[in-house]
């Protein structure tokens, strides 16, 4: 059994271009599905957030229309209730990477607000990358990669292939025109080679120890790739 670190957003809102706070948090499916897969394989999960705040779920991620119906929406809600670790997060600043066999970042728009500029998270990501620790990141989770800056100012993930929530998906989701910035654009500017696939279809990109998924539907295959690394 290995210990896996889940790094979640602590933000319950995403500030739009006009200053409007858009309610958000982490996306339920992106936490529940990998959590279940990893726990079923016998691994231990530890949740960390900025400041150790209890991570807020994006209530929109529990709606029937984004879960293919009420039955699966209820399943996601039950899955969250079963994640006791969500209620006792540790502070990101107190995490020792040596204690963990892998690191996982789910998405939701929350990371666009806090993890994208969180220096502690950035340092953790650089350390994970440089040590070869398996690092899995899904959907808007790659916003956290923007804070992974080296001493010379370069992004640690520059030159890496990755999947992330695309401009096309943000447009179809209805928030692109109101956003301060778009994830695909900002990652590309940082030097990340974003590989975009069809909107909303499962899409996983693996480059060295980095495993990334494009959207919520990519959560399960990302977890499968991570499990392969954990043996």
């Amino acid at each position: 059994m290995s210990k896996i670190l889940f790094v979640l957003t602590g933000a319950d809102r995403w500030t739009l271009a006009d200053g409007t706070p858009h309610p958000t948090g982490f996306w339920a499916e992106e936490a529940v599905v990998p959590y279940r897969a990893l726990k079923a394989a016998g691994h231990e999960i530890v949740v960390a957030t900025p400041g150790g705040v209890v991570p807020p779920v994006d209530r929109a991620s529990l709606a029937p229309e984004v879960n293919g119906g009420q039955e699966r929406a209820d399943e996601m809600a039950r899955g969250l209730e079963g994640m006791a670790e969500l209620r006792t997060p540790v502070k990101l600043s107190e995490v020792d990477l040596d204690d963990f066999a892998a690191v996982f970042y789910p998405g939701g728009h929350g990371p666009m607000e806090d993890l994208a500029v969180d220096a502690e998270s950035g340092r953790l990501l650089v350390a994970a990358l440089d040590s070869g620790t398996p690092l899995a990141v899904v959907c808007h989770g790659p916003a956290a990669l923007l804070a992974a800056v080296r001493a010379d100012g370069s992004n640690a993930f520059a030159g890496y292939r990755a999947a992330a929530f695309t401009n096309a998906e943000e447009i179809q989701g209805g928030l692109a025109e109101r956003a301060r910035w778009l994830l695909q654009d900002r990652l590309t500017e940082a030097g990340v080679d974003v590989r975009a696939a069809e909107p909303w279809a499962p899409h996983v990109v693996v480059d060295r120890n980095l495993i990334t998924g494009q959207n919520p539907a990519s959560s399960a295959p990302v977890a499968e790739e991570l499990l392969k690394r954990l043996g």
Side-chain angles (χ1 to χ4, degrees):
M1 182 177 80
S2 299
K3 227 177 184 181
I4 316 298
L5 181 70
F6 271 43
V7 180
L8 273 73
T9 180
D12 64 1
R13 64 198 62 198
W14 176 36
T15 308
L16 301 175
D18 64 359
T20 303
H22 177 73
T24 189
F26 68 89
W27 199 258
E29 179 179 3
E30 296 165 25
V32 170
V33 171
Y35 175 91
R36 283 179 165 172
L38 290 162
K39 290 287 274 193
H43 299 296
E44 181 184 346
I45 308 292
V46 174
V47 170
T49 62
V53 301
V54 173
V57 64
D58 188 326
R59 304 308 301 179
S61 69
L62 296 173
E65 54 268 28
V66 299
N67 285 291
Q70 188 63 54
E71 187 177 342
R72 192 161 186 273
D74 291 343
E75 184 187 334
M76 287 300 120
R78 285 194 299 272
L80 288 179
E81 288 170 13
M83 292 177 67
E85 296 88 346
L86 290 174
R87 296 183 280 278
T88 56
V90 301
K91 293 180 181 178
L92 201 47
S93 60
E94 295 177 358
V95 167
D96 183 348
L97 184 63
D98 291 341
D99 293 338
F100 299 95
V103 179
F104 174 72
Y105 279 68
H109 281 108
M112 301 274 281
E113 186 77 14
D114 60 354
L115 297 178
V117 294
D118 190 286
E120 295 291 350
S121 174
R123 280 193 284 274
L124 177 74
L125 287 165
V126 173
L129 194 69
D130 291 349
S131 66
T133 302
L135 175 60
V137 195
V138 177
C139 199
H140 286 92
L145 308 188
L146 298 171
V149 180
R150 297 194 185 279
D152 64 2
S154 67
N155 189 284
F157 293 89
Y160 276 75
R161 297 183 306 279
F165 201 71
T166 64
N167 290 358
E169 287 166 322
E170 205 72 83
I171 290 166
Q172 291 178 23
L175 286 169
E177 289 187 359
R178 301 174 63 198
R180 289 183 188 274
W181 48 273
L182 298 179
L183 181 56
Q184 183 180 347
D185 289 346
R186 191 63 67 84
L187 288 170
T188 301
E189 290 165 10
V192 179
D193 180 7
V194 179
R195 301 293 179 93
E198 286 297 312
W200 314 111
H203 177 55
V204 176
V205 174
V206 179
D207 188 349
R208 288 157 276 187
N209 58 316
L210 178 65
I211 304 163
T212 49
Q214 180 170 308
N215 45 37
S218 306
S219 303
V222 163
E224 288 169 18
E225 285 293 338
L226 183 54
L227 283 167
K228 288 180 194 173
R229 300 296 182 98
L230 295 168

